[in-house]
Short mmCIF file of all heavy atoms in Angstrom, two decimals:
data_model
loop_
_atom_site.label_atom_id
_atom_site.label_comp_id
_atom_site.label_asym_id
_atom_site.label_seq_id
_atom_site.Cartn_x
_atom_site.Cartn_y
_atom_site.Cartn_z
N MET A 1 -11.53 -103.10 -23.44
CA MET A 1 -11.48 -103.40 -21.98
C MET A 1 -12.66 -102.89 -21.32
O MET A 1 -13.20 -101.87 -21.64
CB MET A 1 -10.17 -102.78 -21.34
CG MET A 1 -9.96 -103.16 -19.91
SD MET A 1 -8.49 -102.41 -19.13
CE MET A 1 -7.24 -102.82 -20.19
N ASP A 2 -13.16 -103.66 -20.41
CA ASP A 2 -14.36 -103.25 -19.63
C ASP A 2 -14.05 -101.98 -18.89
O ASP A 2 -13.03 -101.79 -18.20
CB ASP A 2 -14.55 -104.42 -18.65
CG ASP A 2 -15.88 -104.20 -17.75
OD1 ASP A 2 -16.22 -103.10 -17.46
OD2 ASP A 2 -16.49 -105.26 -17.48
N PRO A 3 -15.05 -101.05 -18.86
CA PRO A 3 -14.84 -99.74 -18.17
C PRO A 3 -14.58 -99.89 -16.68
O PRO A 3 -13.87 -99.18 -16.12
CB PRO A 3 -16.16 -99.03 -18.39
CG PRO A 3 -16.81 -99.65 -19.58
CD PRO A 3 -16.28 -101.08 -19.61
N ARG A 4 -15.07 -100.91 -16.02
CA ARG A 4 -14.87 -101.18 -14.60
C ARG A 4 -13.41 -101.58 -14.40
O ARG A 4 -12.85 -101.12 -13.48
CB ARG A 4 -15.76 -102.25 -14.08
CG ARG A 4 -17.22 -101.82 -14.03
CD ARG A 4 -18.11 -102.94 -13.71
NE ARG A 4 -18.09 -103.92 -14.88
CZ ARG A 4 -18.65 -105.10 -14.91
NH1 ARG A 4 -19.45 -105.46 -13.96
NH2 ARG A 4 -18.55 -105.88 -15.98
N THR A 5 -12.87 -102.42 -15.34
CA THR A 5 -11.47 -102.79 -15.25
C THR A 5 -10.59 -101.57 -15.48
O THR A 5 -9.62 -101.35 -14.66
CB THR A 5 -11.10 -103.80 -16.31
OG1 THR A 5 -11.93 -105.00 -16.04
CG2 THR A 5 -9.70 -104.22 -16.24
N GLU A 6 -10.91 -100.73 -16.38
CA GLU A 6 -10.08 -99.55 -16.65
C GLU A 6 -10.07 -98.61 -15.39
O GLU A 6 -9.03 -98.06 -14.99
CB GLU A 6 -10.65 -98.75 -17.83
CG GLU A 6 -10.44 -99.42 -19.16
CD GLU A 6 -10.99 -98.65 -20.31
OE1 GLU A 6 -11.16 -97.47 -20.22
OE2 GLU A 6 -11.28 -99.28 -21.28
N ARG A 7 -11.26 -98.45 -14.83
CA ARG A 7 -11.36 -97.59 -13.52
C ARG A 7 -10.58 -98.12 -12.47
O ARG A 7 -9.89 -97.45 -11.74
CB ARG A 7 -12.89 -97.45 -13.24
CG ARG A 7 -13.07 -96.61 -11.95
CD ARG A 7 -14.55 -96.43 -11.67
NE ARG A 7 -14.71 -95.62 -10.47
CZ ARG A 7 -14.69 -96.16 -9.24
NH1 ARG A 7 -14.46 -97.38 -8.97
NH2 ARG A 7 -14.90 -95.29 -8.22
N THR A 8 -10.62 -99.44 -12.28
CA THR A 8 -10.02 -100.05 -11.10
C THR A 8 -8.51 -99.94 -11.26
O THR A 8 -7.76 -99.59 -10.34
CB THR A 8 -10.36 -101.59 -11.03
OG1 THR A 8 -11.76 -101.63 -10.76
CG2 THR A 8 -9.66 -102.28 -9.86
N LYS A 9 -7.98 -100.25 -12.48
CA LYS A 9 -6.54 -100.10 -12.74
C LYS A 9 -6.11 -98.69 -12.56
O LYS A 9 -5.02 -98.33 -12.04
CB LYS A 9 -6.21 -100.65 -14.10
CG LYS A 9 -6.16 -102.15 -14.17
CD LYS A 9 -5.84 -102.59 -15.50
CE LYS A 9 -5.59 -104.11 -15.57
NZ LYS A 9 -4.97 -104.53 -16.88
N ALA A 10 -6.92 -97.67 -13.02
CA ALA A 10 -6.61 -96.29 -12.93
C ALA A 10 -6.50 -95.87 -11.46
O ALA A 10 -5.61 -95.09 -11.10
CB ALA A 10 -7.56 -95.45 -13.68
N LEU A 11 -7.41 -96.35 -10.65
CA LEU A 11 -7.32 -96.07 -9.23
C LEU A 11 -6.04 -96.56 -8.54
O LEU A 11 -5.42 -95.87 -7.77
CB LEU A 11 -8.57 -96.72 -8.48
CG LEU A 11 -9.91 -96.09 -8.72
CD1 LEU A 11 -10.98 -96.98 -8.16
CD2 LEU A 11 -9.93 -94.69 -8.11
N MET A 12 -5.59 -97.77 -8.96
CA MET A 12 -4.35 -98.27 -8.45
C MET A 12 -3.15 -97.48 -8.92
O MET A 12 -2.27 -97.24 -8.15
CB MET A 12 -4.22 -99.73 -8.77
CG MET A 12 -5.18 -100.58 -8.04
SD MET A 12 -4.97 -102.36 -8.21
CE MET A 12 -5.90 -102.66 -9.73
N ARG A 13 -3.13 -97.15 -10.21
CA ARG A 13 -2.08 -96.35 -10.72
C ARG A 13 -2.00 -94.93 -10.01
O ARG A 13 -0.90 -94.50 -9.64
CB ARG A 13 -2.21 -96.14 -12.29
CG ARG A 13 -1.80 -97.29 -13.09
CD ARG A 13 -1.76 -96.89 -14.55
NE ARG A 13 -2.99 -96.28 -15.08
CZ ARG A 13 -3.94 -96.93 -15.62
NH1 ARG A 13 -3.98 -98.30 -15.68
NH2 ARG A 13 -5.04 -96.29 -16.02
N GLU A 14 -3.19 -94.31 -9.83
CA GLU A 14 -3.19 -93.03 -9.20
C GLU A 14 -2.76 -93.13 -7.73
O GLU A 14 -1.97 -92.25 -7.28
CB GLU A 14 -4.56 -92.43 -9.31
CG GLU A 14 -5.00 -92.09 -10.68
CD GLU A 14 -6.44 -91.87 -10.85
OE1 GLU A 14 -7.24 -91.78 -9.84
OE2 GLU A 14 -6.96 -91.71 -12.01
N ALA A 15 -3.17 -94.18 -7.06
CA ALA A 15 -2.75 -94.42 -5.69
C ALA A 15 -1.19 -94.55 -5.62
O ALA A 15 -0.52 -93.93 -4.74
CB ALA A 15 -3.43 -95.56 -5.08
N LEU A 16 -0.63 -95.35 -6.51
CA LEU A 16 0.80 -95.55 -6.47
C LEU A 16 1.51 -94.22 -6.83
O LEU A 16 2.52 -93.85 -6.12
CB LEU A 16 1.16 -96.59 -7.51
CG LEU A 16 2.64 -96.86 -7.63
CD1 LEU A 16 3.26 -97.33 -6.33
CD2 LEU A 16 2.93 -97.86 -8.74
N ALA A 17 1.01 -93.53 -7.76
CA ALA A 17 1.65 -92.22 -8.12
C ALA A 17 1.70 -91.28 -6.95
O ALA A 17 2.66 -90.55 -6.69
CB ALA A 17 0.97 -91.60 -9.31
N GLU A 18 0.55 -91.20 -6.24
CA GLU A 18 0.44 -90.32 -5.12
C GLU A 18 1.40 -90.73 -4.05
O GLU A 18 2.13 -89.87 -3.41
CB GLU A 18 -0.95 -90.30 -4.55
CG GLU A 18 -1.22 -89.40 -3.33
CD GLU A 18 -0.89 -87.90 -3.56
OE1 GLU A 18 -0.98 -87.44 -4.69
OE2 GLU A 18 -0.45 -87.29 -2.59
N MET A 19 1.47 -92.00 -3.73
CA MET A 19 2.41 -92.46 -2.69
C MET A 19 3.91 -92.27 -3.07
O MET A 19 4.75 -92.07 -2.14
CB MET A 19 2.11 -93.90 -2.40
CG MET A 19 0.81 -94.03 -1.49
SD MET A 19 0.61 -95.71 -0.99
CE MET A 19 -0.44 -96.24 -2.32
N LEU A 20 4.19 -92.38 -4.35
CA LEU A 20 5.55 -92.19 -4.77
C LEU A 20 6.10 -90.74 -4.52
O LEU A 20 7.30 -90.49 -4.55
CB LEU A 20 5.74 -92.58 -6.22
CG LEU A 20 5.82 -94.02 -6.51
CD1 LEU A 20 5.68 -94.31 -8.01
CD2 LEU A 20 7.04 -94.71 -5.90
N ARG A 21 5.14 -89.88 -4.31
CA ARG A 21 5.50 -88.47 -3.96
C ARG A 21 6.06 -88.39 -2.53
O ARG A 21 6.81 -87.44 -2.28
CB ARG A 21 4.30 -87.57 -4.15
CG ARG A 21 3.81 -87.48 -5.52
CD ARG A 21 2.56 -86.61 -5.65
NE ARG A 21 2.94 -85.24 -5.42
CZ ARG A 21 2.17 -84.32 -4.97
NH1 ARG A 21 0.90 -84.63 -4.67
NH2 ARG A 21 2.52 -83.10 -4.77
N HIS A 22 5.80 -89.30 -1.73
CA HIS A 22 6.23 -89.29 -0.31
C HIS A 22 7.06 -90.53 0.09
O HIS A 22 7.64 -90.44 1.18
CB HIS A 22 4.90 -89.34 0.55
CG HIS A 22 3.97 -88.26 0.12
ND1 HIS A 22 4.18 -86.90 0.45
CD2 HIS A 22 2.77 -88.26 -0.53
CE1 HIS A 22 3.16 -86.20 0.03
NE2 HIS A 22 2.35 -87.04 -0.58
N LYS A 23 7.05 -91.57 -0.61
CA LYS A 23 7.74 -92.81 -0.31
C LYS A 23 8.53 -93.35 -1.48
O LYS A 23 8.08 -93.10 -2.59
CB LYS A 23 6.87 -93.95 0.22
CG LYS A 23 6.06 -93.62 1.43
CD LYS A 23 5.22 -94.84 1.78
CE LYS A 23 4.55 -94.79 3.12
NZ LYS A 23 3.80 -96.04 3.29
N THR A 24 9.53 -94.21 -1.33
CA THR A 24 10.17 -94.84 -2.35
C THR A 24 9.33 -96.07 -2.73
O THR A 24 8.56 -96.52 -1.84
CB THR A 24 11.61 -95.28 -2.01
OG1 THR A 24 11.55 -96.25 -0.93
CG2 THR A 24 12.46 -94.16 -1.60
N LEU A 25 9.50 -96.65 -3.88
CA LEU A 25 8.82 -97.81 -4.30
C LEU A 25 9.04 -98.95 -3.29
O LEU A 25 8.08 -99.75 -3.04
CB LEU A 25 9.20 -98.23 -5.73
CG LEU A 25 8.39 -99.33 -6.34
CD1 LEU A 25 6.93 -99.00 -6.42
CD2 LEU A 25 8.93 -99.67 -7.70
N ASP A 26 10.19 -99.14 -2.83
CA ASP A 26 10.54 -100.16 -1.90
C ASP A 26 9.72 -100.01 -0.58
O ASP A 26 9.64 -101.06 0.15
CB ASP A 26 12.01 -100.32 -1.65
CG ASP A 26 12.75 -100.84 -2.91
OD1 ASP A 26 12.14 -101.53 -3.72
OD2 ASP A 26 13.94 -100.51 -2.98
N ASP A 27 9.42 -98.86 -0.23
CA ASP A 27 8.68 -98.60 1.05
C ASP A 27 7.16 -98.73 0.90
O ASP A 27 6.42 -98.61 1.91
CB ASP A 27 9.04 -97.22 1.57
CG ASP A 27 10.47 -97.13 1.99
OD1 ASP A 27 11.06 -98.19 2.47
OD2 ASP A 27 11.08 -96.02 1.95
N ILE A 28 6.64 -98.84 -0.33
CA ILE A 28 5.18 -98.95 -0.55
C ILE A 28 4.80 -100.39 -0.60
O ILE A 28 5.40 -101.27 -1.26
CB ILE A 28 4.82 -98.25 -1.85
CG1 ILE A 28 5.14 -96.80 -1.75
CG2 ILE A 28 3.40 -98.44 -2.17
CD1 ILE A 28 5.04 -96.05 -3.13
N THR A 29 3.64 -100.75 0.12
CA THR A 29 3.21 -102.08 0.13
C THR A 29 1.93 -102.24 -0.55
O THR A 29 1.24 -101.25 -0.89
CB THR A 29 2.98 -102.51 1.54
OG1 THR A 29 1.91 -101.79 2.18
CG2 THR A 29 4.21 -102.44 2.48
N VAL A 30 1.51 -103.51 -0.88
CA VAL A 30 0.25 -103.74 -1.49
C VAL A 30 -0.83 -103.17 -0.57
O VAL A 30 -1.83 -102.60 -1.04
CB VAL A 30 0.05 -105.21 -1.78
CG1 VAL A 30 -1.34 -105.53 -2.24
CG2 VAL A 30 1.03 -105.66 -2.85
N SER A 31 -0.67 -103.37 0.69
CA SER A 31 -1.73 -102.83 1.66
C SER A 31 -1.88 -101.29 1.47
O SER A 31 -2.98 -100.80 1.58
CB SER A 31 -1.30 -103.23 3.09
OG SER A 31 -1.33 -104.59 3.32
N ASP A 32 -0.77 -100.61 1.27
CA ASP A 32 -0.86 -99.17 1.06
C ASP A 32 -1.69 -98.88 -0.19
O ASP A 32 -2.48 -97.95 -0.14
CB ASP A 32 0.53 -98.52 0.86
CG ASP A 32 1.44 -98.65 2.12
OD1 ASP A 32 0.84 -98.64 3.28
OD2 ASP A 32 2.67 -98.63 1.96
N ILE A 33 -1.46 -99.59 -1.25
CA ILE A 33 -2.12 -99.33 -2.55
C ILE A 33 -3.61 -99.62 -2.43
O ILE A 33 -4.44 -98.85 -2.77
CB ILE A 33 -1.52 -100.24 -3.66
CG1 ILE A 33 -0.11 -99.94 -3.90
CG2 ILE A 33 -2.41 -100.15 -4.86
CD1 ILE A 33 0.17 -98.70 -4.62
N VAL A 34 -3.97 -100.78 -1.79
CA VAL A 34 -5.36 -101.07 -1.68
C VAL A 34 -6.05 -100.17 -0.70
O VAL A 34 -7.28 -99.84 -0.98
CB VAL A 34 -5.58 -102.62 -1.39
CG1 VAL A 34 -5.03 -103.45 -2.45
CG2 VAL A 34 -5.11 -103.00 0.01
N LYS A 35 -5.43 -99.72 0.32
CA LYS A 35 -6.12 -98.76 1.25
C LYS A 35 -6.35 -97.42 0.56
O LYS A 35 -7.42 -96.92 0.64
CB LYS A 35 -5.16 -98.63 2.45
CG LYS A 35 -5.79 -97.75 3.55
CD LYS A 35 -4.94 -97.66 4.74
CE LYS A 35 -5.56 -96.76 5.79
NZ LYS A 35 -4.62 -96.54 6.93
N GLU A 36 -5.35 -96.97 -0.16
CA GLU A 36 -5.47 -95.71 -0.79
C GLU A 36 -6.52 -95.73 -1.94
O GLU A 36 -7.21 -94.76 -2.15
CB GLU A 36 -4.13 -95.28 -1.31
CG GLU A 36 -4.05 -93.90 -2.02
CD GLU A 36 -4.26 -92.68 -1.13
OE1 GLU A 36 -3.99 -92.83 0.14
OE2 GLU A 36 -4.62 -91.65 -1.64
N SER A 37 -6.53 -96.78 -2.69
CA SER A 37 -7.39 -96.87 -3.81
C SER A 37 -8.80 -97.44 -3.46
O SER A 37 -9.72 -97.49 -4.37
CB SER A 37 -6.80 -97.71 -4.97
OG SER A 37 -6.50 -99.00 -4.50
N ARG A 38 -8.90 -97.92 -2.27
CA ARG A 38 -10.24 -98.48 -1.74
C ARG A 38 -10.72 -99.66 -2.50
O ARG A 38 -11.86 -99.77 -2.92
CB ARG A 38 -11.31 -97.37 -1.71
CG ARG A 38 -10.92 -96.35 -0.72
CD ARG A 38 -12.00 -95.29 -0.66
NE ARG A 38 -11.66 -94.25 0.38
CZ ARG A 38 -12.38 -93.15 0.55
NH1 ARG A 38 -13.42 -92.98 -0.12
NH2 ARG A 38 -11.93 -92.35 1.50
N ILE A 39 -9.76 -100.59 -2.77
CA ILE A 39 -10.12 -101.80 -3.52
C ILE A 39 -9.74 -102.95 -2.63
O ILE A 39 -8.97 -102.82 -1.70
CB ILE A 39 -9.39 -101.98 -4.88
CG1 ILE A 39 -7.90 -101.93 -4.70
CG2 ILE A 39 -9.88 -100.86 -5.90
CD1 ILE A 39 -7.21 -102.49 -5.93
N ALA A 40 -10.22 -104.14 -2.96
CA ALA A 40 -9.83 -105.38 -2.19
C ALA A 40 -8.43 -105.87 -2.58
O ALA A 40 -8.04 -105.75 -3.79
CB ALA A 40 -10.87 -106.43 -2.39
N ARG A 41 -7.79 -106.42 -1.66
CA ARG A 41 -6.44 -107.02 -1.98
C ARG A 41 -6.56 -108.12 -3.05
O ARG A 41 -5.70 -108.16 -3.92
CB ARG A 41 -5.85 -107.64 -0.69
CG ARG A 41 -4.52 -108.33 -0.92
CD ARG A 41 -4.05 -108.91 0.38
NE ARG A 41 -3.57 -107.86 1.34
CZ ARG A 41 -2.27 -107.45 1.38
NH1 ARG A 41 -1.42 -107.91 0.54
NH2 ARG A 41 -1.96 -106.49 2.18
N THR A 42 -7.63 -108.87 -3.02
CA THR A 42 -7.79 -109.90 -4.08
C THR A 42 -7.98 -109.30 -5.44
O THR A 42 -7.52 -109.80 -6.42
CB THR A 42 -9.00 -110.77 -3.79
OG1 THR A 42 -10.19 -109.98 -3.57
CG2 THR A 42 -8.81 -111.63 -2.52
N THR A 43 -8.57 -108.08 -5.53
CA THR A 43 -8.73 -107.32 -6.79
C THR A 43 -7.35 -106.97 -7.24
O THR A 43 -6.99 -107.09 -8.47
CB THR A 43 -9.65 -106.17 -6.66
OG1 THR A 43 -10.94 -106.63 -6.14
CG2 THR A 43 -9.78 -105.44 -7.91
N PHE A 44 -6.48 -106.48 -6.38
CA PHE A 44 -5.14 -106.07 -6.73
C PHE A 44 -4.48 -107.29 -7.39
O PHE A 44 -3.89 -107.16 -8.50
CB PHE A 44 -4.33 -105.60 -5.56
CG PHE A 44 -2.94 -105.33 -5.92
CD1 PHE A 44 -2.55 -104.06 -6.28
CD2 PHE A 44 -1.99 -106.25 -5.82
CE1 PHE A 44 -1.20 -103.78 -6.64
CE2 PHE A 44 -0.62 -106.04 -6.15
CZ PHE A 44 -0.24 -104.72 -6.58
N TYR A 45 -4.44 -108.34 -6.73
CA TYR A 45 -3.81 -109.60 -7.27
C TYR A 45 -4.45 -110.22 -8.48
O TYR A 45 -3.79 -110.97 -9.18
CB TYR A 45 -3.58 -110.61 -6.17
CG TYR A 45 -2.47 -110.21 -5.21
CD1 TYR A 45 -2.69 -109.89 -3.86
CD2 TYR A 45 -1.17 -110.09 -5.59
CE1 TYR A 45 -1.76 -109.46 -3.05
CE2 TYR A 45 -0.15 -109.71 -4.79
CZ TYR A 45 -0.48 -109.42 -3.49
OH TYR A 45 0.62 -109.02 -2.66
N HIS A 46 -5.68 -109.89 -8.73
CA HIS A 46 -6.36 -110.32 -9.89
C HIS A 46 -5.69 -109.68 -11.15
O HIS A 46 -5.58 -110.29 -12.23
CB HIS A 46 -7.89 -109.98 -9.90
CG HIS A 46 -8.61 -110.29 -11.16
ND1 HIS A 46 -8.93 -111.53 -11.49
CD2 HIS A 46 -9.06 -109.47 -12.15
CE1 HIS A 46 -9.54 -111.55 -12.67
NE2 HIS A 46 -9.62 -110.29 -13.12
N TYR A 47 -5.31 -108.45 -11.03
CA TYR A 47 -4.67 -107.70 -12.12
C TYR A 47 -3.17 -107.66 -12.10
O TYR A 47 -2.56 -107.52 -13.21
CB TYR A 47 -5.24 -106.28 -12.10
CG TYR A 47 -6.70 -106.16 -12.38
CD1 TYR A 47 -7.57 -105.72 -11.33
CD2 TYR A 47 -7.19 -106.50 -13.65
CE1 TYR A 47 -8.90 -105.71 -11.64
CE2 TYR A 47 -8.57 -106.48 -13.82
CZ TYR A 47 -9.39 -106.09 -12.86
OH TYR A 47 -10.79 -106.01 -13.11
N TYR A 48 -2.48 -107.71 -10.89
CA TYR A 48 -1.09 -107.53 -10.88
C TYR A 48 -0.48 -108.54 -9.98
O TYR A 48 -1.03 -108.94 -8.92
CB TYR A 48 -0.75 -106.15 -10.32
CG TYR A 48 -1.30 -104.98 -11.14
CD1 TYR A 48 -2.37 -104.23 -10.66
CD2 TYR A 48 -0.82 -104.76 -12.39
CE1 TYR A 48 -2.86 -103.21 -11.39
CE2 TYR A 48 -1.37 -103.69 -13.20
CZ TYR A 48 -2.37 -102.97 -12.62
OH TYR A 48 -2.89 -101.87 -13.45
N GLN A 49 0.73 -108.99 -10.27
CA GLN A 49 1.50 -109.90 -9.50
C GLN A 49 2.12 -109.18 -8.27
O GLN A 49 2.29 -109.73 -7.19
CB GLN A 49 2.58 -110.59 -10.26
CG GLN A 49 3.33 -111.64 -9.57
CD GLN A 49 4.28 -112.41 -10.48
OE1 GLN A 49 4.51 -112.03 -11.65
NE2 GLN A 49 4.79 -113.47 -10.01
N ASP A 50 2.57 -107.90 -8.55
CA ASP A 50 3.20 -107.12 -7.41
C ASP A 50 3.11 -105.62 -7.88
O ASP A 50 2.65 -105.29 -8.97
CB ASP A 50 4.67 -107.61 -7.18
CG ASP A 50 5.54 -107.41 -8.41
OD1 ASP A 50 5.27 -106.59 -9.25
OD2 ASP A 50 6.61 -108.14 -8.43
N ILE A 51 3.63 -104.82 -6.99
CA ILE A 51 3.45 -103.36 -7.22
C ILE A 51 4.21 -102.97 -8.40
O ILE A 51 3.83 -102.10 -9.17
CB ILE A 51 3.94 -102.56 -5.97
CG1 ILE A 51 3.04 -102.79 -4.84
CG2 ILE A 51 4.05 -101.11 -6.29
CD1 ILE A 51 3.51 -102.28 -3.51
N ARG A 52 5.37 -103.52 -8.68
CA ARG A 52 6.16 -103.20 -9.93
C ARG A 52 5.44 -103.44 -11.18
O ARG A 52 5.87 -102.85 -12.25
CB ARG A 52 7.50 -103.89 -9.82
CG ARG A 52 8.47 -103.26 -8.79
CD ARG A 52 9.74 -103.99 -8.68
NE ARG A 52 10.75 -103.31 -7.90
CZ ARG A 52 10.69 -103.21 -6.63
NH1 ARG A 52 9.71 -103.69 -5.91
NH2 ARG A 52 11.66 -102.53 -5.98
N ALA A 53 4.41 -104.26 -11.17
CA ALA A 53 3.67 -104.51 -12.37
C ALA A 53 2.65 -103.44 -12.77
O ALA A 53 2.15 -103.44 -13.93
CB ALA A 53 2.96 -105.90 -12.25
N ILE A 54 2.45 -102.52 -11.92
CA ILE A 54 1.49 -101.44 -12.18
C ILE A 54 2.17 -100.44 -13.15
O ILE A 54 3.28 -100.02 -12.88
CB ILE A 54 1.11 -100.68 -10.91
CG1 ILE A 54 0.35 -101.62 -9.97
CG2 ILE A 54 0.16 -99.50 -11.19
CD1 ILE A 54 0.01 -100.95 -8.57
N ARG A 55 1.48 -100.23 -14.27
CA ARG A 55 2.01 -99.29 -15.25
C ARG A 55 1.00 -98.28 -15.59
O ARG A 55 -0.08 -98.36 -15.71
CB ARG A 55 2.43 -100.08 -16.48
CG ARG A 55 3.54 -100.97 -16.10
CD ARG A 55 4.02 -101.73 -17.29
NE ARG A 55 5.00 -102.73 -16.88
CZ ARG A 55 5.28 -103.78 -17.49
NH1 ARG A 55 4.79 -104.03 -18.61
NH2 ARG A 55 6.22 -104.60 -17.01
#
């Protein structure tokens, strides 16, 4: 896997993990993830269909 892809996915996983410390999964939005990880919304959807797909 391309190192840039790995880094981007890791940023999203870390953002989600951090938010789960304060919110439930149902209360977290894609906007929250992209804001916290500082990536574009289109990048999120390039890799994932929804938040539950992040692993």
Side-chain angles (χ1 to χ4, degrees):
M1 184 182 306
D2 185 324
R4 293 170 294 179
T5 299
E6 289 179 25
R7 180 179 178 275
T8 300
K9 286 184 169 186
L11 286 170
M12 289 186 276
R13 282 191 306 270
E14 291 165 9
L16 178 59
E18 178 62 28
M19 284 186 268
L20 284 170
R21 297 177 69 208
H22 307 284
K23 296 181 175 182
T24 65
L25 186 59
D26 290 334
D27 293 330
I28 298 171
T29 65
V30 171
S31 293
D32 294 332
I33 298 285
V34 299
K35 183 177 178 183
E36 180 73 20
S37 60
R38 296 181 178 174
I39 62 161
R41 178 180 285 271
T42 55
T43 302
F44 176 90
Y45 285 112
H46 176 77
Y47 296 112
Y48 302 111
Q49 186 173 8
D50 59 26
I51 293 172
R52 286 177 169 71
I54 298 175
R55 296 181 185 159

